[in-house]
Every structure is written in C-alpha cells, then in structure tokens.
C-alpha cells in the first residue's frame, strides 16, 4: 500500500531459469551479471569514437580539423569504463591527436597547442569524474548488501514444501535500490498445521519496514502459541495498535508544540491475510484483515474467494469494530491458493489501466507452481513496463497428493 516509484531493477529473478529465485533473499549478484546492462553494451563506444575521429581527420582535407572532437572520448570513457581504462584512453587521445597534428604539419602552432591543452584538461576532469563515479558505485553496492542482509533477517526464505503443501513466492519492492519494503509474508509449520500470512503495511520508508518487522515477529510467536487463527489475528491487531501508538507518541514528542500529531490515526495500518491448513483436513481456513481476496484454483479454474465477513485492517480493529472471522474453503490435492498484495492488482500501464491478475492466474493455472509464479511476475512487469508504483508480493501454494 505504499506509493513510491522504482526503476525496477527487477529485484527478483526468473523462476523458470533458477529455482533459487523463489524468494527475494535468494537473489544473487551473479543473476544480474547474466543480463548485460546498457553500460556493458555501450562500453566499446569510446574506442569506436576514437577510431572514427582519427580516420576522419586523416581522410579529410587539411583545412578541416576534427581532432577537437576527441574531447568526447574521455568523457564517454569516464561514464562507461573503469578508471584504468579511462586513463589509457586519455593518454591515447593525447598521443593520437599529437600524431595527427604532426602529420598535418600543424604541430607547435598556437591553435594546436590550445587543442592539446584542452584535451589534457578534459582528460584530467574525466579521470576525476570516473573516480567519483566508481566510489559512488561501491557505496551503492555496500548499501544493497546491507539491504539484502536486512531483508533476509526480516523475511525468511519460503520453504519449497511444508508437509503436503508446496509453496512458491515472489517479492518486488518498489524502491528497487533498497530491495526492501512494506510488504511481507511468512509460512510456518506449527502444532496447529501450516500457517501462512501475507500483509501490506501502508506507508513507505523505514516506518513501513519497522511495522513489517513488528508484525512478522508477532506472527512467528503467535502462530505457535495460539490454537485459534482468529486469536492470532486479534493479537496481531493489538500489536499493530501498540506500534501505531508508539509512532504517534514519538511524533507528538518531536512536534514543535508537543501537541497532537499531524498524521491521522487512520493513516497507519496494515492489511493482512492469514491462512491455516489443519493437519488431516482438506480445507484452508482464511482470515481476512482488509486484504485483497485470494484466488482459489480448482480443476484448472481460478476464482476469487471473497469473504462473507471481512475483518478490519490490522491497527484499526477497535476503530471499525469488525472482529476477524475464520472461513473455510475446500482445499484438496491439486488445488492451489494464490495470495498477493495490492501491488499485483494496482500496477498501471502507460494508459493508466490496472493490472488484471485474474486473467494470468487462469491462463497459467495449468503450469507447474514455480513456473506459474514466474509467469505472474513477468506479466506484471510487462504490464507496468518495469515501473512499479507499489511493492508487490505474491505467494502461491498447492496441495500435493
């Protein structure tokens, strides 16, 4: 439920290509290396420009001098190549320009000296810019590494299988450089069966990440402790309200007059969907907490499972007076359940049209589970042209024989 933008790194990988791509924590830098980016494709450009300018200067009449265009070579190299390669090209530009001037008989003339001096200054400036760029890139890699570590600590990798339940998931943060956001999910094997949660914290930035960590930690504790799934939802709502109260208290304290916070209470909440698969019972118990309804795939047909009595979002339970209710849906071998956050249905294309998740779920229902999840992810990115406006998470599960 955040509203920020991405470049999309696409920060998740194609599951058709690598099973390890099922969760964001299993992505590796090697995956990105397999896809050359624009910089890798443009890397030969400075050398090609150097050759073209040199040949043009040789083949054109003496009165036409194009050697000053050589100044573009170190500039391009600083943007595309490492420092050492840039330094080599700077030296090559100076040497080749000097040779061209000697060949034209203009070596030592004032205008030729000005040209060489200008190229020397441009070369030094390009080397400084290249050094600064590489330093920033190293800092960005360090930030990404920290973010990935935080993501692994916050959201554990989904197991491929829990008992007779196969799972696969995908996570696409809108803030691609951060690789972490306000959506979350978890799957646990408990004494009361397999329990799964997927949620979406309203907001963005560190507040959303902190709320996700609070709710995930609470779910991991409550899922093992509480026999009733509705009780788990009630306790999660209480934890969310405590978290909101703490944030509002901090805002009041930090305010200029110590008065009421500027943010409305209703601006802080999280939607969630809790699912339980009781052992030996071919059903799925679902508790809705203001979250988009899941899709149930049965016999190749996908349909949304809309609750009769949807509960309130986490953090708003006392305000809306809507108690969580567990509802059961048949879930026999071969059936699938698709949970998702609103990033999968609110992504817009360039005409402003929302992404229709129902159609691809139905179209890919016959594929293997991981292939289906990879296809759903791919369809979303194609629809939004790689420009997500919100975090997007999806978890699919299948009852095995």
């Amino acid at each position: 439920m955040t509203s920020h933008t991405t470049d999309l790194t696409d920060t998740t990988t194609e599951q058709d290509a690598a099973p390890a791509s099922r969760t964001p924590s299993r992505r590796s830098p090697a995956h990105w290396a397999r896809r050359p980016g624009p910089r890798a494709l443009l890397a030969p450009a400075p050398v090609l420009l150097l050759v073209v300018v040199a040949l043009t200067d040789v083949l054109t009449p003496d009165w036409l001098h194009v050697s000053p265009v050589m100044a573009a070579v170190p500039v391009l190299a600083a943007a595309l190549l490492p420092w050492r390669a840039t330094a080599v090209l700077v030296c090559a530009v100076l040497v080749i320009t000097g040779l061209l001037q000697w060949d034209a008989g203009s070596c030592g003339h004032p205008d030729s000296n000005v040209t060489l001096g200008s190229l020397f200054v441009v070369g030094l400036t390009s080397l400084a810019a290249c050094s600064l760029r590489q330093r920033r890139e190293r800092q960005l890699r360090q930030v990404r590494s920290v973010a990935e570590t935080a993501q692994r600590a916050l959201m554990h990798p989904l197991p491929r299988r829990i008992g007779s339940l196969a799972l696969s998931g995908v996570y696409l943060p809108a803030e691609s450089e951060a690789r972490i956001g306000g959506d979350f999910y978890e799957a646990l094997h408990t004494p009361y069966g397999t329990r799964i949660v997927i949620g979406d914290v309203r907001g963005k930035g560190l507040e959303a990440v902190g709320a996700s960590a609070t709710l995930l930690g609470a779910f991991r504790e409550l899922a093992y402790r509480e026999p009733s799934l509705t009780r788990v939802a009630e306790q999660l709502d209480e934890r969310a309200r405590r978290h909101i109260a703490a944030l509002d208290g901090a805002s009041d304290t930090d305010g200029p007059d110590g008065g009421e916070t500027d943010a409305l209470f209703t601006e802080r909440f999280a939607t969630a969907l809790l699912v339980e698969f009781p052992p030996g019972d071919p059903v799925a118990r679902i508790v809705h907490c203001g979250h988009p309804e899941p899709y149930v795939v049965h016999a190749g047909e996908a349909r949304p499972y809309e609750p009769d009595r949807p509960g309130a979002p986490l953090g708003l339970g006392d305000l809306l007076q809507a108690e969580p209710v567990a509802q059961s849906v048949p879930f026999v071998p071969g059936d699938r359940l698709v949970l998702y956050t609103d990033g999968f249905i609110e992504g817009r294309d360039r005409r402003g049209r929302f992404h229709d998740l129902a159609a691809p779920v139905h179209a890919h229902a016959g594929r293997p589970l991981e292939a289906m999840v990879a296809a759903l992810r791919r369809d979303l990115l194609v629809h939004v042209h790689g420009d997500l406006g919100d975090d997007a998470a999806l978890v699919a599960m299948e009852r095995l024989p």
Side-chain angles (χ1 to χ4, degrees), residues 310-328:
L314 301 178
L316 300 181
D318 60 339
L319 185 65
L320 300 182
Q321 298 296 321
E323 296 182 356
V325 176
Q327 297 176 275
S328 297

Side-chain angles (χ1 to χ4, degrees), residues 119-170:
L119 290 177
F120 180 75
V121 172
V122 171
L124 290 181
T125 306
S126 299
L127 289 174
C130 183
S131 177
L132 179 61
R133 172 181 63 83
Q134 289 190 302
R135 183 187 307 171
R136 294 292 175 86
E137 288 177 347
R138 286 194 297 269
Q139 292 173 347
L140 178 58
R141 285 194 294 269
Q142 292 172 354
V143 170
R144 284 179 170 176
S145 176
V146 172
E148 289 175 351
T149 302
Q151 181 73 306
R152 284 193 293 269
L154 174 63
M155 198 159 62
H156 300 162
L158 278 178
R160 293 188 180 184
R161 180 169 177 173
I162 301 179
S164 62
L165 198 66
L167 299 103
S168 182
V170 65

Side-chain angles (χ1 to χ4, degrees), residues 264-283:
L264 292 175
F265 175 80
T266 53
E267 289 182 350
R268 294 195 177 109
F269 60 86
T271 66
L273 198 67
L274 284 74
V275 185
E276 177 184 82
F277 300 92
D281 199 354
V283 300

Side-chain angles (χ1 to χ4, degrees), residues 175-323:
E175 294 288 356
S176 58
E177 298 302 333
R179 304 196 178 187
I180 191 169
D183 290 6
F184 59 92
Y185 53 71
E186 180 64 286
L188 299 172
H189 179 61
T190 74
Y192 315 105
T194 300
R195 286 179 168 177
I196 296 173
V197 65
I198 187 169
D200 185 356
V201 175
R202 188 196 185 282
K204 59 183 179 180
L206 293 178
E207 283 194 4
V209 174
S212 298
T214 297
L215 293 174
L216 275 174
F219 175 77
R220 289 166 183 152
E221 174 191 349
L222 296 168
Y224 284 97
R225 192 182 71 190
E226 296 291 344
S228 170
L229 190 63
T230 56
R231 182 61 179 164
V232 174
E234 291 171 355
Q235 291 292 310
L236 285 176
D237 177 71
E238 182 180 341
R239 297 291 179 90
R241 282 186 276 120
R242 285 188 209 162
H243 187 79
I244 292 168
L247 291 177
D248 287 342
S251 299
D252 292 345
T253 303
D254 296 338
D257 55 0
E260 293 184 0
T261 179
D262 292 334
L264 292 175
F265 175 80
T266 53
E267 289 182 350
R268 294 195 177 109
F269 60 86
T271 66
L273 198 67
L274 284 74
V275 185
E276 177 184 82
F277 300 92
D281 199 354
V283 300
R285 296 194 187 111
I286 303 175
V287 175
H288 291 76
C289 299
H291 200 77
E293 65 275 2
Y295 284 97
V296 178
V297 180
H298 176 74
E301 296 292 329
R303 61 179 179 85
Y305 181 72
E306 299 180 359
D308 297 329
R309 296 173 57 189
L314 301 178
L316 300 181
D318 60 339
L319 185 65
L320 300 182
Q321 298 296 321
E323 296 182 356

Side-chain angles (χ1 to χ4, degrees), residues 106-121:
S106 61
C107 187
H109 292 185
D111 56 343
S112 299
N113 293 336
V114 170
T115 299
L116 283 175
S118 300
L119 290 177
F120 180 75
V121 172

